[in-house]
């Protein structure tokens, strides 16, 4: 596979160091990695305005005028497929990752073995983004990219799948669950949520990155938090 990877870090030494590891990962995994290096969030966004086909973004958090988290939030407004990996010298930024569905955090100094493992995960997730759910509703076939599904809920004999648009089909939640993958978690009897779309979990509800809330049944809090941790 061929991947377009941006490395954004205000340290030239760190950019070169990470770029070298990325190229070694690609060579050993049989991939082709086209890497582009940026010294600031602003310089990346200038290029991104013209070229939006980046697959993976390795992003330093502590940069100059615009930090990495702010840049990632801008990116997520119109791009929900690029795999974002934060690189930081501090552990107190981790909660910020929920908002932008970050794949992982790497602590500086970055270890090559750890970076390669995260890049393997990014490649796997990118391949999963090609998966499509084909369903029949209203006498026609509808194709839904699986990564676009935010959540699904059930009412009687019908399930509504909430993705780019809402699609209601006659099926059980269990049937839908079998057609999905490990990104999705069954919340009690009434809903399935995409773990990568969760921004916050309380004892009473799940808040998704688009602001939608899904009720959380009593006793389900620990289970969904374990699922989120295992997913990351």
């Amino acid at each position: 596979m061929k991947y377009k990877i941006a490395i954004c870090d205000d340290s030239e030494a760190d950019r070169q160091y990470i770029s070298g590891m990325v190229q070694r990962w690609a060579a050993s995994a049989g991939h082709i990695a086209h890497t582009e290096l940026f010294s600031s969030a602003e310089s990346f966004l200038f290029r991104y305005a013209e070229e939006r086909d980046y697959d993976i973004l390795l992003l330093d958090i502590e940069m100059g005028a615009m930090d990495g988290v702010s840049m990632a939030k801008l990116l997520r407004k119109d791009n929900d497929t690029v795999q974002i990996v934060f690189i930081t010298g501090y552990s107190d930024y981790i909660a910020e990752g929920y908002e932008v569905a970050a794949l992982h955090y790497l602590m500086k100094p970055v270890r090559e073995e750890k970076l390669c493992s995260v890049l393997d995960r990014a490649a796997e997730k990118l391949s999963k983004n090609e998966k499509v759910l084909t369903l029949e509703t209203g006498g026609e076939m509808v194709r839904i990219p699986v990564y676009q599904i935010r959540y699904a809920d059930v009412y009687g004999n019908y399930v509504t799948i909430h993705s780019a648009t809402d699609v209601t089909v006659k099926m059980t939640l269990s049937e839908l669950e079998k057609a999905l993958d490990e990104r999705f978690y069954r919340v009690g009897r009434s809903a399935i949520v995409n773990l990568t779309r969760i921004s916050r979990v309380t004892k009473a509800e799940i808040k998704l990155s688009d602001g939608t809330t899904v009720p959380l049944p009593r006793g389900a809090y620990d289970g969904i938090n374990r699922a989120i941790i295992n997913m990351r």
Side-chain angles (χ1 to χ4, degrees):
M1 292 294 292
K2 185 175 181 179
Y3 298 103
K4 188 172 180 179
I5 301 174
I7 299 167
C8 192
D9 195 306
D10 58 0
S11 163
E12 182 178 359
D14 284 351
R15 291 195 302 273
Q16 296 297 334
Y17 173 62
I18 292 167
S19 179
M21 290 191 289
V22 168
Q23 291 301 331
R24 289 192 291 275
W25 163 78
S28 65
H31 301 308
I32 298 172
H34 172 64
T35 55
E36 294 186 6
L37 279 54
F38 300 92
S39 60
S40 67
E42 292 85 353
S43 62
F44 170 79
L45 290 172
F46 183 79
R47 177 68 62 83
Y48 181 75
E50 299 176 344
E51 300 178 11
R52 297 174 177 264
D53 57 343
Y54 292 92
D55 299 301
I56 301 170
L57 176 57
L58 301 170
L59 177 59
D60 185 24
I61 290 182
E62 303 89 18
M63 292 188 287
M66 178 181 288
D67 63 82
V69 173
S70 298
M71 188 188 101
K73 288 178 180 178
L74 283 176
L75 208 62
R76 277 290 183 243
K77 289 181 178 179
D78 67 358
N79 189 327
D80 58 2
T81 60
V82 64
Q83 299 301 304
I84 297 174
V85 179
F86 283 125
I87 298 172
T88 179
Y90 304 93
S91 60
D92 52 356
Y93 287 100
I94 291 178
E96 302 271 10
Y98 278 117
E99 286 189 59
V100 296
L103 177 67
H104 202 83
Y105 280 80
L106 291 172
M107 298 295 294
K108 291 184 177 182
V110 177
R111 292 188 297 113
E112 186 159 349
E113 180 183 350
K114 188 65 175 177
L115 175 62
C116 289
S117 174
V118 172
L119 289 172
D120 284 340
R121 284 181 56 204
E124 182 182 0
K125 290 195 73 172
L126 287 164
S127 69
K128 286 179 179 178
N129 285 346
E130 299 174 1
K131 291 177 63 176
V132 173
L133 207 61
T134 302
L135 302 167
E136 184 177 351
T137 178
E140 64 177 1
M141 300 303 293
V142 177
R143 291 168 57 82
I144 305 172
V146 171
Y147 81 88
Q148 289 185 357
I149 300 174
R150 293 173 287 119
Y151 73 105
D153 50 14
V154 64
Y155 184 79
N157 296 323
Y158 292 86
V159 170
T160 299
I161 299 168
H162 304 272
S163 58
T165 58
D166 292 350
V167 177
T168 299
V169 293
K170 189 173 183 179
M171 68 187 309
T172 67
L173 207 59
S174 294
E175 288 170 336
L176 175 62
E177 185 179 16
K178 290 175 183 176
L180 300 174
D181 54 39
E182 70 277 3
R183 288 172 287 183
F184 294 85
Y185 184 81
R186 175 80 174 261
V187 183
R189 298 178 181 178
S190 60
I192 295 173
V193 295
N194 186 335
L195 295 170
T196 69
R197 299 298 186 108
I198 293 174
S199 64
R200 187 166 55 89
V201 179
T202 70
K203 296 286 186 180
E205 65 183 19
I206 301 163
K207 187 172 182 179
L208 304 182
S209 54
D210 67 343
T212 302
T213 58
V214 179
L216 190 64
R218 182 177 297 177
Y221 179 80
D222 289 339
I224 194 162
N225 275 288
R226 280 196 302 271
I228 292 169
I229 291 168
N230 292 335
M231 185 70 191
R232 293 177 183 277

